[in-house]
Amino acid sequence: MYSREEAKRIRESFWTSFGQYMTPIAGADGLKVNWINYKTGIKHLYFRMDADNKKAHIAIEMAHPDAGIRALLFEQFRQYQAVLEAELGEEWIWNEHSFDDYGKETARIYMELPKVSVFRQEDWPALISFFKPRIIALDSFWSDAQYGFELFK
């Protein structure tokens, strides 16, 4: 088992490595993208990647504090579901009522990779291979779809 500081250092090392790996890749609009901390331009709407000692996941997370607005955001994504899944090349899990690590209600659209650990360096290639095509596909989707979410700005 790792101490809190050691676990933090390993996580930071992975995300730094992933960020360096992704740096040369331009976004769908041809611009430089911060792939680790992706900016959607919509408050309370995030593209999140995370990995722990059991699994990895990538998600579209709607964390608006107003449940009605969160539901509208989720429904707007439903309108784009076919486009999103065509861009991703796979079906993701849709969960309108989820909770984040702090117990706050969110809505999430996500994909998981089980049986990997950010604490095993030999799993890092699998993690990168999981995250890279999906965050690039989300960026490509968002490049076109973001205009349908302007009312949430």
Side-chain angles (χ1 to χ4, degrees), residues 18-67:
F18 181 73
Q20 290 170 341
Y21 180 76
M22 294 295 291
T23 295
I25 301 169
D29 296 330
L31 302 173
K32 184 173 172 50
V33 174
N34 181 343
W35 296 104
I36 307 298
N37 189 17
Y38 192 96
K39 302 287 186 206
T40 64
I42 307 290
K43 196 170 184 180
H44 306 293
L45 176 64
Y46 309 99
F47 294 170
R48 297 203 195 272
M49 297 178 283
D50 196 19
D52 59 24
N53 63 340
K54 295 180 183 155
K55 68 183 178 320
H57 73 266
I58 183 167
I60 300 168
E61 187 173 282
M62 293 143 269
H64 200 284
D66 183 302

